[in-house]
Amino acid sequence: MNGRAVISIGLLLLVVHGGLWMGTANPTSGAAIEQEAQAPTGQFRIVSVASNVPINGTGNLSITFENTGEDVSNASISVRSPNESVRFGPSQTARKQVGNWAAGERRTVKYSLLAEEFAEVENYPFEANISFTAGDGSQRRAGPYTFGVQPSERIRLERFEVTSISSNVQAGDTGVISVTVENTGRDVNDAIVSLRSANEQLTLGRSPNASQFVNEWSSNERQTFQYRVTAKNDTVGGSYPFSLSISYREEGTRNQTEPHLIGIIPDPEQSFSFDTVTSTLRVGQEGTVSGTVTNEGPQRAPNAVLVLTSQGENLSPKETEYALGSLDAGESTPFEYRIDVSDSADRGPRQLSFVVRYQNQDGDPRQSNPLDARVPVGPRRDEFRIDAKRASVEAGSTATVSLVVTNNDDRTVRNIDAQAFVDSPLTINDNGAFIEKLEPNESATIRFDVSADGGTLPNAYPMSVDFQYDTPDGETKLTDTYEVPIRVTAPRQEGVLSFSSGTGGLVAIVVLAVLLVLVAVFVIRRR
């Protein structure tokens, strides 16, 4: 075995032992990996850490956390390196927004990392803190969580050195791997830089390998090579191995380097979440389903559209798509759907399913996993409340009946046309009334002149009223019929005839006559 092969095998063993390929953490101690949060709610733990940064180069750091406490929102993860040898570009701190975070859910964040030329192959201590909003609305902070990051030896392929490794490929999508290589030897030409996947999760299209060509490559010149890679849906956080080799021509002789493994860290799958989904749906009426959708990242989601894909029977949405616009990672935006509920629907919960359509970084259309929301459908409710005032009339006369009409809907309605109907023995002189507009819970009074035939027996008689009105979206609707009782009373009588009517009046006349006779006898006797 030659010396060059020994070096390559040694580097491979160092990399595998260091846990770079499958996301094994390099903690300073085992206890640091399992450390729980210090906050009273929303505890977290580190699941895995992976990095692929070489000394005197740039790479990525991937950390997977698990929420072992309660659901939280507005979460962000900040990481700090106390040592300048390994840091986040020009800064020693970096922060990622992760948004809503359900209990038991694992979230992976990825940062760009730099290792200086004077860095060593050893564990450098890092610490992470998680800020979030708890269920009671208070702002909390968990941590610090400590872990180690160990840069790898310089990645040398004989006369070439890898100075930068990066990728934007996401789980379940296609992206680009970028590898920057410096020619540390003499000028060469006709160079072929080949990359081969050494794992099943990330593939170079339909082929296991891909190559880039460089016609002339000067000494100390850096070249960046890009390869399209597809990651399977079940790709998890960690570093995945690829084999890099370079064939080149120097002074007319073709040479080939030994393959060298490099690690590629993919981003987690793009995800979205719902927050505070509410419903005003009721049987037989139109209502709304509204809420907030959040782009959980890790990438920006251009031209996002929320699509209602399933709503079940008896629910008819006015529109099935709601344009969200372009959402940055961690950004939220509200949405609202107007949905008709049929008269035959039953009250109770309904399951609605949505997806988010968006474009990936290459402008290709993509679709999220289903987002489900459970919303209630309330019982039937009248559009208006009717309160009758002065709803009585004497037999043989006319009276004004006043009705207080209140908008019982959650929306403003306009052009409210009321029509009243009665049957004999009642009549209405003008059966129409108009209300220009009613805000939710706003009231207005309408009046009808109602007459009762003479001789009508005292009793309650029905007056039917219905309303035609316009909704905010311009639709004209007709309500069911409201029944208002009209009380008919006996007519009031005036003077002696009034006083003498009935049995009580007859008794009074007899008593009066007796009194007159007694007075007359008394007067005669006095004479």
Side-chain angles (χ1 to χ4, degrees), residues 41-44 67 70-75 99-103 132-135:
T41 62
Q43 292 87 5
F44 306 88
N67 179 2
E70 303 175 354
D71 294 354
V72 300
S73 59
N74 302 319
N100 299 327
W101 199 340
F132 59 93
T133 301

Side-chain angles (χ1 to χ4, degrees), residues 82-407:
N83 196 303
E84 292 186 355
S85 298
V86 182
R87 61 181 191 273
F88 305 96
S91 175
Q92 290 179 238
T93 61
R95 181 175 176 270
K96 289 282 188 178
Q97 186 76 25
V98 295
N100 299 327
W101 199 340
E105 184 182 7
R106 293 185 176 186
R107 303 298 290 271
T108 300
V109 287
K110 189 172 82 170
Y111 305 88
S112 295
L113 206 59
L114 175 148
E116 291 285 5
E117 183 179 6
F118 49 79
E120 302 289 340
V121 182
E122 62 183 41
N123 265 332
Y124 287 85
F126 279 63
E127 64 178 34
N129 289 279
I130 302 177
S131 301
F132 59 93
T133 301
D136 59 4
S138 62
Q139 301 298 313
R140 304 286 181 87
R141 180 172 176 173
Y145 303 91
T146 59
F147 57 94
V149 174
Q150 178 176 302
S152 66
E153 289 277 6
R154 294 186 177 190
I155 302 175
R156 290 191 173 96
L157 291 84
E158 300 176 5
R159 59 185 302 142
F160 302 96
E161 181 175 339
V162 177
T163 61
S164 176
I165 304 170
S166 64
S167 75
N168 62 9
V169 62
Q170 287 181 266
D173 204 348
T174 298
V176 174
I177 291 175
S178 296
V179 181
T180 300
V181 182
E182 180 181 353
N183 177 12
T184 60
R186 293 186 295 178
D187 296 351
V188 298
N189 54 40
D190 296 342
I192 301 173
V193 181
S194 300
L195 187 69
R196 174 181 291 272
S197 175
N199 66 92
E200 296 182 352
Q201 295 300 112
L202 277 65
T203 58
L204 294 155
R206 297 182 178 180
S207 174
N209 65 291
S211 299
Q212 298 285 331
F213 177 77
V214 180
N215 185 25
E216 294 182 352
W217 197 344
S218 301
S219 176
N220 298 321
E221 181 184 3
R222 291 186 177 184
Q223 297 274 358
T224 298
F225 306 95
Q226 294 186 331
Y227 306 86
R228 294 196 64 80
V229 175
T230 300
K232 292 183 178 180
N233 290 328
D234 58 350
T235 302
V236 297
S239 186
Y240 292 82
F242 282 75
S243 174
L244 182 69
S245 63
I246 302 175
S247 170
Y248 60 95
R249 188 180 299 277
E250 183 181 12
E251 296 181 349
T253 303
R254 172 64 63 179
N255 298 286
Q256 173 79 42
T257 70
E258 291 290 338
H260 197 296
L261 287 178
I262 62 173
I264 301 300
I265 300 177
D267 287 330
E269 187 175 8
Q270 192 77 18
S271 65
F272 301 83
S273 66
F274 279 151
D275 190 21
T276 60
V277 177
T278 60
S279 163
T280 63
L281 302 182
R282 286 185 175 275
V283 174
Q285 292 184 359
E286 179 185 303
T288 62
V289 172
S290 58
T292 301
V293 62
T294 300
N295 175 15
E296 303 290 0
Q299 302 292 344
R300 187 171 183 266
N303 303 319
V305 177
L306 183 64
V307 183
L308 176 58
T309 58
S310 175
Q311 67 277 351
E313 297 181 356
N314 300 318
L315 300 184
S316 302
K318 298 292 186 183
E319 301 284 347
T320 59
E321 297 186 359
Y322 191 93
L324 304 173
S326 296
L327 297 177
D328 291 329
E331 184 179 0
S332 300
T333 190
F335 67 88
E336 181 178 273
Y337 286 87
R338 301 208 66 85
I339 299 177
D340 271 325
V341 184
S342 70
D343 292 327
S344 60
D346 294 326
R347 60 180 296 183
R350 296 291 191 280
Q351 186 85 357
L352 304 182
S353 292
F354 302 80
V355 295
V356 178
R357 291 206 309 257
Y358 62 99
Q359 294 176 344
N360 67 3
Q361 300 167 87
D362 297 325
D364 299 325
R366 292 292 183 265
Q367 180 173 295
S368 73
N369 291 325
L371 299 171
D372 294 329
R374 191 171 184 265
V375 299
V377 173
R380 181 186 299 276
R381 182 179 67 180
D382 291 334
E383 296 94 328
F384 301 97
R385 296 194 304 270
I386 307 299
D387 186 15
K389 304 291 186 183
R390 303 176 187 174
S392 64
V393 59
E394 293 182 6
S397 65
T398 300
T400 298
V401 175
S402 299
L403 302 180
V404 178
V405 181
T406 302
N407 180 8

Side-chain angles (χ1 to χ4, degrees), residues 84 212 337 361 368 437 448 467-468 498 506:
E84 292 186 355
Q212 298 285 331
Y337 286 87
Q361 300 167 87
S368 73
K437 180 184 71 171
F448 300 98
F467 300 88
Q468 180 176 286
S498 174
L506 181 59

